[in-house]
């Protein structure tokens, strides 16, 4: 079993791990000849299934195992990986390899940084033979960069992992969700997160307190709704608060008939919702704090399509920009269950 690669885009990789680690501390990572996959399945909250093209974050990628397609499955703690990548942001280069230290499997991240250093101290510029510090001969003239040199610093950080057997992960599959009632391209996630976080904080501040004066531990539930006429609505309602924000002029992307069974678009739930007019909405209720963590993926940029299964689930497809034109597309899929009324 062998895995070694250079990190092509350290900043993107660091932002990705930061976003993922906010939703779960441990990820199932699947490496093979075709893609890099990160999966987070917490006990409660949002599931994430990320499929990244190799070229989007790696180069000089080498993988070898006895499994089909040279597949390697790892259980990887995300916070240590993110901290290691964060320290490599200004590095000249970084590489990752699968190895063992004292019999324990680790991902070894090697960071190389080049800095300029000088062999002369500051007092070396003064001409000691001249007692007048401001005289004509007070300073010795030197050639530019005469004593400057590159100093290479190499730092290696080891992240303990578990190598998983194929049998232990073969039963893990993405959730199955019915056909969505609405699909819409979301506005800027940074803007949406700012408003969502504000709604959540307002709701928590106005939550009815118990007789002892302590606030309810339950997180506020945001109501998110979309129609098939380019509108998105965010709402929060408590006993003492009812506010909402609406976006209009958004895009409802067309579905690919080739991806639909029998290619029958007219009988899809989204087609029926569209025919019902702009006052017909598909709605989900989601945990405000969890939703804020999901929206942190906005730091990666990219296009985000939200699919609403009314009163059932919200699925987000986050399409990341490719490092190279023509490379396979990278997509993060978020599955968020809706709370009942």
């Amino acid at each position: 079993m062998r895995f070694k690669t250079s990190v092509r885009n350290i900043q993107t990789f660091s932002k990705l791990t930061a976003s993922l680690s906010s939703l779960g501390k441990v990820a199932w990572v699947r490496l093979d000849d075709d893609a890099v996959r990160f999966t987070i399945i917490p006990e409660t909250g949002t599931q994430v299934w990320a499929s990244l093209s190799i070229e989007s974050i790696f180069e000089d990628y080498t993988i070898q195992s006895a499994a089909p397609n040279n597949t390697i499955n790892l259980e990887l703690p995300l916070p240590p990986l993110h901290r290691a990548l964060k320290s490599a942001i200004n590095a000249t280069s970084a590489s990752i390899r699968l190895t063992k230290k004292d019999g324990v499997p680790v991902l070894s991240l090697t960071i190389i940084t080049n800095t300029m250093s000088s062999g002369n101290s500051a007092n070396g510029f003064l001409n000691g033979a001249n007692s007048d510090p401001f005289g004509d001969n007070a300073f010795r003239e030197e050639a530019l960069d005469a004593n400057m040199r590159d100093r290479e610093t190499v730092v290696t950080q080891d992240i303990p992992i578990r190598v998983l057997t194929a049998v232990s992960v073969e039963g893990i599959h993405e959730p199955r969700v019915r056909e969505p009632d609405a699909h819409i391209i979301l506005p800027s996630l940074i803007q949406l997160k700012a408003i969502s976080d504000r709604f959540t904080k307002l709701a928590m501040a106005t939550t009815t307190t118990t007789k002892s004066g302590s606030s309810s531990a339950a997180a506020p539930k945001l109501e998110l709704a979309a129609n098939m006429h380019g509108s998105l609505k965010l709402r929060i309602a408590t006993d003492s608060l009812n506010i909402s924000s609406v976006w209009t002029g958004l895009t409802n992307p067309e579905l690919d008939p080739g991806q639909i069974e029998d290619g029958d678009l007219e009988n899809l739930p989204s087609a029926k919702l569209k025919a019902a007019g702009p006052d017909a909405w598909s709605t989900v209720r989601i945990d405000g704090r969890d939703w804020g963590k999901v929206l942190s993926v906005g730091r990666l940029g990219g296009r985000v399509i939200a699919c609403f299964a009314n009163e059932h689930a919200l699925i987000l497809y986050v399409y990341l920009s490719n490092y190279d034109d023509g490379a396979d597309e990278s997509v993060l899929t978020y599955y968020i269950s809706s709370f009942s009324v």
Side-chain angles (χ1 to χ4, degrees):
M1 184 176 292
R2 185 182 178 209
F3 169 65
K4 184 177 181 181
T5 184
S6 297
V7 181
R8 180 179 200 172
N9 198 329
I10 298 173
Q11 191 168 28
T12 296
F13 199 10
S14 177
K15 289 179 180 180
L16 172 67
T17 55
S19 177
L20 295 179
S21 62
S22 68
L23 294 168
K25 302 306 178 186
V26 178
W28 163 35
V29 179
R30 181 172 180 146
L31 308 165
D32 58 34
D33 288 334
D34 303 322
V36 178
R37 296 176 178 86
F38 286 80
T39 301
I40 298 177
I41 307 178
E43 292 184 6
T44 59
T46 300
Q47 289 192 24
V48 187
W49 293 72
S51 179
L52 310 174
S53 66
I54 294 170
E55 297 82 3
S56 64
I57 52 175
F58 295 142
E59 61 184 353
D60 300 327
Y61 180 90
T62 302
I63 189 168
Q64 184 178 1
S65 77
N69 209 26
N70 290 313
T71 300
I72 298 176
N73 293 289
L74 306 175
E75 183 183 83
L76 174 65
L78 289 171
L81 176 61
H82 174 60
R83 287 194 296 268
L85 289 170
K86 193 175 180 180
S87 69
I89 291 296
N90 296 318
T92 306
S93 65
S95 61
I96 298 175
R97 66 188 179 99
L98 177 62
T99 185
K100 279 189 176 183
K101 295 291 178 68
D102 299 324
V104 177
V106 298
L107 276 184
S108 187
L109 176 64
T110 300
I111 305 165
I112 299 177
T113 305
N114 288 329
T115 56
M116 297 295 290
S117 62
S118 172
N120 287 334
S121 60
N123 60 12
F125 288 98
L126 287 176
N127 188 341
N130 194 329
S131 59
D132 182 2
F134 299 103
D136 292 338
N137 298 321
F139 299 96
R140 182 175 66 249
E141 295 181 349
E142 298 185 18
L144 181 65
D145 292 336
N147 294 293
M148 300 296 287
R149 63 182 183 274
D150 275 339
R151 188 176 74 175
E152 185 176 270
T153 303
V154 180
V155 177
T156 299
Q157 302 186 57
D158 295 327
I159 304 161
I161 59 168
R162 290 178 59 210
V163 179
L164 306 176
T165 64
V167 174
S168 66
V169 297
E170 65 180 2
I172 304 176
H173 302 287
E174 292 191 48
R176 300 190 66 177
V177 182
R178 62 179 174 81
E179 287 292 337
D181 302 282
H183 37 85
I184 193 167
I185 296 179
L186 293 184
S188 164
L189 294 197
I190 295 175
Q191 180 194 65
L192 185 56
K193 176 176 170 57
I195 297 175
S196 298
D197 288 349
R198 180 165 177 77
F199 279 16
T200 299
K201 289 177 181 177
L202 286 172
M204 293 180 69
T206 57
T207 299
T208 303
T209 58
T210 63
K211 291 182 180 180
S212 62
S214 60
S215 296
S216 171
K221 301 301 183 291
L222 293 175
E223 186 178 285
L224 194 64
N227 63 21
M228 287 298 294
H229 292 266
S231 297
L232 177 75
K233 179 166 60 179
L234 178 68
R235 177 174 173 264
I236 187 84
T238 67
D239 293 339
S240 56
L241 179 72
N242 190 336
I243 54 176
S244 63
S245 184
V246 178
W247 288 260
T248 59
L250 303 178
T251 301
N252 300 104
E254 297 292 333
L255 297 179
D256 181 2
Q259 301 295 322
I260 306 300
E261 187 175 352
D262 301 328
D264 187 4
L265 297 178
E266 293 182 358
N267 290 320
L268 288 177
S270 56
K272 296 177 181 178
L273 189 72
K274 185 174 184 178
D279 292 330
W281 298 83
S282 179
T283 304
V284 294
R285 293 168 185 84
I286 53 183
D287 183 292
R289 287 179 293 196
D290 187 62
W291 176 240
K293 295 175 182 178
V294 170
L295 293 178
S296 67
V297 75
R299 70 188 77 184
L300 288 168
R303 181 171 55 110
V304 183
I305 298 177
C307 294
F308 290 73
N310 190 50
E311 306 287 354
H312 178 58
L314 174 67
I315 305 96
L316 297 188
Y317 297 96
V318 182
Y319 296 91
L320 304 183
S321 301
N322 289 321
Y323 195 86
D324 279 342
D325 292 337
D328 292 335
E329 196 162 37
S330 298
V331 59
L332 283 66
T333 307
Y334 292 76
Y335 294 91
I336 309 167
S337 296
S338 176
F339 288 88
S340 57
V341 180

